Amino acid sequence: MHFIFLKFFKDFIYLFIYERHRKREAETQAEGEAGSMQGARRGTRSKVSRIRSWAEGGAKPLSHRGCPNVLFLREEETGCWRTIGSLLRTTLSSPRRVEDSLIWPYYEIPSCSKTIDLVFPDDDSEPPEEMEEEIPVVICAAAGRMGAAMAAINSIYSNTDANILFYVVGLRNTLSRIRKWIEHSKLREINFKIVEFNPVVLKGKIRPDSSRPELLQPLNFVRFYLPLLIHQHEKVIYLDDDVIVQGDIQELYDTTLALGHAAAFSDDCDLPSAQDMNRFVGLQNTYMGYLDYRKKAIKDLGISPSTCSFNPGVIVANMTEWKHQRITKQLEKWMQKNVEENLYSSSLGGGVATSPMLIVFHGKYSAINPLWHIRHLGWNPDTRYSEHFLQEAKLLHWNGRHKPWDFPSVHNDLWESWFVPDPAGIFKLHHHNS
């Protein structure tokens, strides 16, 4: 008897939805958009409430002759897939108002461990506006410097009206802390996904180096594996965590990549002026500062040691071109060669992540506007840029040893204005008043 009731209930739901959407489905099929129902995404909100697909790749409708499209949804955390017919405790709730001008009836459906909202527009309501383009921004949140990533995210989100999707990358033991920091702070309104990076992919590819061990941390190599982390986007922005953004990130995203270029970087020769460069004692801006030209493998590249280097702390990447050129495989090849032959090290200018990128992207990258990567703020605590120049900058980068949350450091007031306190009280600022 219980089985018959459940079967009847399932059939009732199908018939109800079919009758309700029969006319609308015919119209949408004529436009090639049949079954484009969307689920309201929970836990990842943006400035304006938006109707978004729950599933990572969007809603997945299946057409059946004589019955409505069936919507499959996947829970972000558990990966559970459910159809309308397989959800047994479905109740029709009263209309919910969304974006003021639209009223949507919805179904609250217990699935796995949480509730999903299925959203269907009223027959008389206007269709929602087409979603603006999503700008994916990848940023790593390491355990000991998670506050840096949160400050960067805050500065990006606060200075744009664009539809940003943050991919916050961490190791497994930090994922819950990342989520708590976002959901229990002013960042709770951002649109985000938390992505686990498995360091097993780096096994046998990193040479032990005692000069700057912090540069050997697994998350420092996330930029090598962007296509493995980001699947549905053609263009992606990657940012180091020790940056703040003062401009509209849409401008950076609009950077033009030349045909055949998988990425855009900021040239080290594009720094403000030669005079400013000279103030940074020991700063390297050529390939000589990153590669050991005594080694045959480096000489055989045929790259002049005086060639201008670039900094991969800010990247605009074309994922299609990246995969087509097998950039990740090329980078891994040079990482393995370095393990065998010690071609570069952190004792040279740029550390172990920059050097393989300089080799692989030599002569095959586009340029980022220099104001979108004003760097070396962490190079020397006794050296400062002019305040006027920093106000004009679109992005500030504290690359180097002297981070703005530590002491000594410079221009830390600019960074601290975007700092988001840790709800757990673990991450604290450690510097004196400057």
Side-chain angles (χ1 to χ4, degrees):
M1 185 68 183
H2 183 63
F3 174 78
I4 295 174
F5 171 76
L6 293 179
K7 184 177 185 302
F8 172 79
F9 188 80
K10 181 178 75 172
D11 292 341
F12 171 78
I13 293 295
Y14 270 90
L15 289 172
F16 177 84
I17 298 172
Y18 175 65
E19 290 297 326
R20 183 175 181 81
H21 297 284
R22 183 175 51 184
K23 290 188 291 183
R24 188 172 71 86
E25 185 182 17
E27 295 172 355
T28 56
Q29 283 180 342
E31 298 172 355
E33 298 176 353
S36 60
M37 297 180 291
Q38 293 180 315
R41 185 174 181 178
R42 300 283 295 266
T44 53
R45 298 174 288 274
S46 50
K47 290 182 182 178
V48 179
S49 177
R50 297 182 173 93
I51 304 301
R52 310 189 62 95
S53 299
W54 176 269
E56 182 175 325
K60 298 179 179 292
L62 298 179
S63 294
H64 300 272
R65 184 176 299 176
C67 67
N69 288 326
V70 180
L71 185 65
F72 283 76
L73 300 177
R74 182 174 68 82
E75 270 197 17
E76 184 178 29
E77 293 180 350
T78 64
C80 295
W81 288 89
R82 295 291 185 265
T83 68
I84 292 174
S86 69
L87 300 167
L88 303 179
R89 293 189 296 148
T90 307
T91 56
L92 178 62
S93 302
S94 57
R96 168 179 291 180
R97 183 169 293 275
V98 179
E99 294 186 338
D100 294 333
S101 61
L102 301 176
I103 297 180
W104 306 69
Y106 70 106
Y107 294 92
E108 289 189 334
I109 302 176
S111 174
C112 301
S113 61
K114 63 168 65 173
T115 296
I116 297 176
D117 291 347
L118 287 186
V119 182
F120 304 101
D122 278 347
D123 292 338
D124 298 330
S125 67
E126 297 181 2
E129 294 182 4
E130 186 175 341
M131 286 295 298
E132 59 186 305
E133 184 177 13
E134 208 167 47
I135 299 179
V137 176
V138 178
I139 191 163
C140 296
R145 46 194 283 170
M146 200 171 289
M150 301 304 163
I153 290 170
N154 186 29
S155 70
I156 295 166
Y157 181 73
S158 300
N159 284 305
T160 186
D161 291 324
N163 181 25
I164 310 299
L165 173 57
F166 292 99
Y167 285 84
V168 188
V169 185
L171 302 181
R172 175 171 296 183
N173 61 351
T174 65
L175 302 185
S176 60
R177 185 180 168 206
I178 293 171
R179 182 173 295 278
K180 180 178 179 181
W181 200 322
I182 293 174
E183 294 184 346
H184 293 81
S185 71
K186 64 187 296 185
L187 299 178
R188 66 178 62 91
E189 296 299 322
I190 71 170
N191 188 14
F192 72 101
K193 290 184 179 182
I194 294 174
V195 182
E196 178 188 352
F197 181 68
N198 190 341
V200 71
V201 298
L202 301 173
K203 186 176 181 180
K205 301 181 182 73
I206 301 178
R207 184 183 183 88
D209 192 328
S210 60
S211 177
R212 291 191 64 186
E214 74 275 12
L215 298 178
L216 304 180
Q217 296 302 313
L219 294 181
N220 202 31
F221 300 92
V222 162
R223 71 198 89 194
F224 290 9
Y225 297 93
L226 293 178
L228 302 182
L229 304 173
I230 312 299
H231 302 292
Q232 71 258 40
H233 299 284
E234 171 74 11
K235 198 175 187 182
V236 174
I237 293 174
Y238 168 88
L239 299 177
D240 276 353
D241 62 354
D242 51 354
V243 308
I244 61 165
V245 172
Q246 300 185 138
D248 187 341
I249 198 72
Q250 180 76 55
E251 295 178 23
L252 180 60
Y253 185 75
D254 290 340
T255 298
T256 300
L257 273 68
L259 185 66
H261 287 178
F265 307 97
S266 185
D267 276 327
D268 286 332
C269 295
D270 284 340
L271 286 172
S273 69
Q275 181 178 2
D276 284 327
M277 282 291 296
N278 291 335
R279 291 188 299 154
F280 293 99
V281 178
L283 184 63
Q284 302 292 336
N285 67 335
T286 67
Y287 274 53
M288 175 67 82
Y290 294 86
L291 304 176
D292 189 345
Y293 273 83
R294 297 171 298 178
K295 302 297 174 64
K296 183 178 185 300
I298 299 300
K299 291 179 181 178
D300 289 347
L301 290 171
I303 301 175
S304 170
S306 62
T307 300
C308 232
S309 54
F310 59 80
N311 186 296
V314 177
I315 306 172
V316 181
N318 180 317
M319 292 292 92
T320 299
E321 198 64 44
W322 190 294
K323 289 181 282 190
H324 175 70
Q325 297 183 29
R326 299 170 61 85
I327 296 296
T328 297
K329 287 294 184 184
Q330 292 188 58
L331 291 168
E332 288 184 327
K333 167 193 166 184
W334 284 100
M335 293 170 72
Q336 290 169 335
K337 286 181 74 70
N338 183 58
V339 170
E340 298 164 1
E341 304 177 37
N342 194 21
L343 305 177
Y344 52 83
S345 74
S346 61
S347 61
L348 295 173
V352 294
T354 300
S355 301
M357 299 196 82
L358 290 177
I359 295 171
V360 171
F361 284 100
H362 174 253
K364 295 184 293 184
Y365 66 91
S366 298
I368 290 174
N369 182 331
L371 288 178
W372 270 101
H373 195 177
I374 301 304
R375 50 202 179 278
H376 306 311
L377 276 72
W379 191 261
N380 187 336
D382 298 319
T383 303
R384 289 176 171 266
Y385 285 110
S386 71
E387 294 300 324
H388 174 74
F389 176 72
L390 292 177
Q391 290 174 6
E392 296 294 320
K394 305 288 188 178
L395 181 148
L396 302 177
H397 187 184
W398 278 263
N399 61 310
R401 297 176 184 267
H402 305 283
K403 304 303 182 184
W405 55 88
D406 279 333
F407 179 83
S409 59
V410 296
H411 304 300
N412 46 13
D413 54 321
L414 296 175
W415 182 89
E416 193 170 343
S417 65
W418 299 109
F419 175 62
V420 179
D422 182 359
I426 299 172
F427 184 95
K428 302 180 185 301
L429 303 181
H430 297 103
H431 57 67
H432 301 166
N433 292 331
S434 56

